[in-house]
Amino acid sequence: MAAESGLTELRRGVLGPCVLALLEVRPRFGLELVRDLAAADGLLTSDGTVYPLLNRLRDAGLVTSEWRDDQGERARRYYSITNAGRETLEAFRTDWPRFSATVGNVLNHEMTHPAEAPGIAPLDTQNGIAGQGAQ
Amino acid sequence: MSGTALDHPLVLDYLSELDAAMRGQPPEKVRELREQLAAHLADELPPDADDEQVADALRRLGPPADLAAEAGADVTVSVPPSRQLARFLKAVRPRSWIAIAVVLIAVAVAGKWCDYYLSAGSLQFNYGADWWYALDAQHENVVSINAQNQMFPLVQNTTLIRYGQRQGYVISVWNNTKVTQTIVGDGAGPTVGWNNPISEKEQISVSRSYTDIANGVTGESAARGIKFGLPVSIPPGQSRLVRVLWTSDVCPASNQGGSVSDLYLRVRVGWFTTTETIPQQTWTLQWGAGARC
């Protein structure tokens, strides 16, 4: 139960940037976005949680929404990324590799204390895990 | 929505549960999430979806309580104050803005208007005055009480008490303000019979037109043909006669009398009715030689 709860929190933390990344490609309507996220295995706890998340992103000014009347179909609300959303996404892209590498190091007991190994390479390049600057 | 999956009893139950779970959250937020989930289901389910399809879609959406908790969660993204303000301003509907603007304009206009009227100033004594009845004017004794003031001379006008009979005076008042002032009645002065020298009762009335009170002509003669009444409005720059009549029904000691020198009037200016105190000449009544009650 605790593991499930932790995974839910983890999903919750990364779902926002993933939504922004999908919207960066093109605007999407709700079900379309849900299906794309669901295709990434394990990312969605439930389909419905996407909508409160979208509303929070909208409230933060990272996405906008508008109604579009698709030809031959009923009107749908499409979500688009804003400039602020792109900036946030870029910042996340910069931070994520180092963050995930750091977490990986800790989980695998591969962290080296600087005092024990003077002169070692910075965290983002040691162990061969590339940071933003090494990509 | 008739004939769609949204009419399915399971969907209706689900949305009712969502409403209950979101109780206490802003109605706009509830409405929006409801609309999003309904659109999701309408996209996902065919109009003739069976129970199993509907139940499966609802299971994938997640328990209403979880969605309500997610919707009620604090915003995890830090929102700068400027954006919060912008969001608030955007959330206010156009109709509300119009109402707010109307209220603000009304308050500003009312404030300006109140200030305009309340600071308008009082009516002024216009230096035309005399006893109303010829009998009183015949016995008057006029003494200057500020002889040094050539521009605004004030006098004390004394006449005899005619016990049990009607007496009175009339004065000219000038509206030297920019607003119409309406005299509505006797003012609340510091003593009973505030505007006359002797009685506890008096009658005040105001002329509906104007004439000068010339020296040597009593008020009754000067104002012949002019109608008096209440209330009477005095437009800016115009004057009217204020008449104060009473029955001298109080019996002072043989060597005493009474005086009055301010005129207290209830005056309406715009929405406001206040008592104006108008300094004027002094009216004095005293006993004649050998007279008594």
Side-chain angles (χ1 to χ4, degrees):
Chain A
M1 183 69 82
E4 180 61 27
S5 173
L7 194 56
T8 300
E9 289 300 312
L10 198 56
R11 287 188 186 116
R12 196 174 171 191
V14 298
L15 197 54
C18 291
V19 167
L20 292 177
L22 288 174
L23 296 180
E24 186 185 32
V25 179
R26 62 179 169 79
R28 286 170 160 84
F29 62 89
L31 181 61
E32 191 180 13
L33 202 50
V34 167
R35 283 179 174 160
D36 289 340
L37 289 167
D41 188 35
L43 205 50
L44 272 185
T45 309
S46 64
D47 294 357
T49 54
V50 171
Y51 296 102
L53 172 65
L54 280 169
N55 295 340
R56 285 202 296 276
L57 294 173
R58 189 268 325 278
D59 289 347
L62 305 182
V63 305
T64 58
S65 67
E66 63 171 352
W67 287 95
R68 288 189 196 170
D69 198 357
D70 293 337
Q71 281 187 340
E73 298 187 52
R74 63 186 188 79
R76 289 188 173 111
R77 183 191 283 208
Y78 276 79
Y79 300 88
S80 308
I81 191 169
T82 64
N83 287 336
R86 290 180 205 283
E87 290 171 14
T88 300
L89 180 59
E90 276 312 301
F92 188 83
R93 281 197 177 112
T94 302
D95 294 339
W96 176 252
R98 186 165 61 178
F99 176 78
S100 61
T102 301
V103 173
N105 288 345
V106 172
L107 292 178
N108 296 318
H109 307 293
E110 292 173 351
M111 187 175 70
T112 304
H113 196 285
E116 296 171 358
I120 64 169
L123 184 62
D124 62 348
T125 55
Q126 71 176 359
N127 302 322
I129 300 172
Q132 177 74 9
Q135 286 179 346
Chain B
M1 289 292 176
S2 179
T4 71
L6 298 180
D7 295 327
H8 195 283
L10 289 176
V11 172
L12 296 176
D13 287 348
Y14 183 91
L15 293 177
S16 294
E17 275 187 55
L18 181 74
D19 289 341
M22 292 193 75
R23 193 163 294 140
Q25 296 197 34
E28 182 68 19
K29 196 179 235 184
V30 178
R31 187 196 59 74
E32 185 172 45
L33 182 58
R34 208 177 196 282
E35 171 203 289
Q36 288 169 314
L37 296 179
H40 176 102
L41 292 169
D43 277 337
E44 184 164 33
L45 293 169
D48 56 350
D50 59 28
D51 291 355
E52 193 175 337
Q53 288 175 299
V54 173
D56 187 49
L58 295 177
R59 183 187 53 73
R60 276 186 275 109
L61 266 185
D66 287 0
L67 299 189
E70 191 71 21
D74 291 335
V75 175
T76 53
V77 183
S78 141
V79 182
S82 59
R83 191 176 293 282
Q84 288 181 23
L85 177 62
R87 199 169 67 207
F88 168 76
L89 295 176
K90 192 176 176 182
V92 180
R93 295 177 176 178
R95 191 174 294 176
S96 300
W97 279 122
I98 293 171
I100 290 169
V102 167
V103 169
L104 288 177
I105 290 171
V107 168
V109 169
K112 192 76 179 171
W113 191 83
C114 290
D115 181 57
Y116 180 71
Y117 283 112
L118 289 174
S119 61
S122 299
L123 297 169
Q124 294 177 12
F125 174 45
N126 202 20
Y127 300 98
D130 207 341
W131 295 104
W132 180 253
Y133 296 107
L135 270 176
D136 295 322
Q138 284 169 11
H139 298 103
E140 72 179 3
N141 177 32
V142 181
V143 178
S144 173
I145 56 176
N146 66 340
Q148 71 281 8
N149 191 332
Q150 299 296 317
M151 187 169 287
F152 303 109
L154 289 178
V155 299
Q156 178 173 338
N157 193 327
T158 305
T159 194
L160 302 178
I161 298 172
R162 291 188 288 116
Y163 181 74
Q165 297 180 41
R166 296 284 281 173
Q167 294 190 271
Y169 62 84
V170 62
I171 72 166
S172 168
V173 295
W174 178 33
N175 180 5
N176 187 27
T177 70
K178 294 179 179 176
V179 295
T180 295
Q181 305 215 19
T182 302
I183 300 173
V184 297
D186 206 338
T191 61
V192 291
W194 313 299
N195 294 313
N196 80 86
I198 196 166
S199 177
E200 293 185 358
K201 295 178 182 175
E202 65 199 14
Q203 179 191 35
I204 282 194
S205 54
V206 182
S207 68
R208 299 195 183 279
S209 56
Y210 182 72
T211 185
D212 284 328
I213 309 251
N215 285 335
V217 181
T218 61
E220 194 174 26
S221 298
R224 183 162 289 127
I226 291 179
K227 292 183 178 177
F228 284 75
L230 281 177
V232 171
S233 295
I234 308 178
Q238 293 193 22
S239 297
R240 292 290 185 274
L241 303 177
V242 177
R243 183 180 64 186
V244 181
L245 299 177
W246 65 91
T247 298
S248 296
D249 51 3
V250 173
C251 191
S254 61
N255 60 344
Q256 292 183 347
S259 292
V260 66
S261 58
D262 286 337
L263 185 62
Y264 298 92
L265 297 174
R266 290 290 288 170
V267 179
R268 186 174 65 237
V269 182
W271 286 343
F272 307 99
T273 300
T274 57
T275 295
E276 292 187 8
T277 304
I278 305 169
Q280 55 150 333
Q281 68 177 52
T282 301
W283 302 94
T284 301
L285 288 179
Q286 67 179 23
W287 287 111
R292 62 178 63 87
C293 297

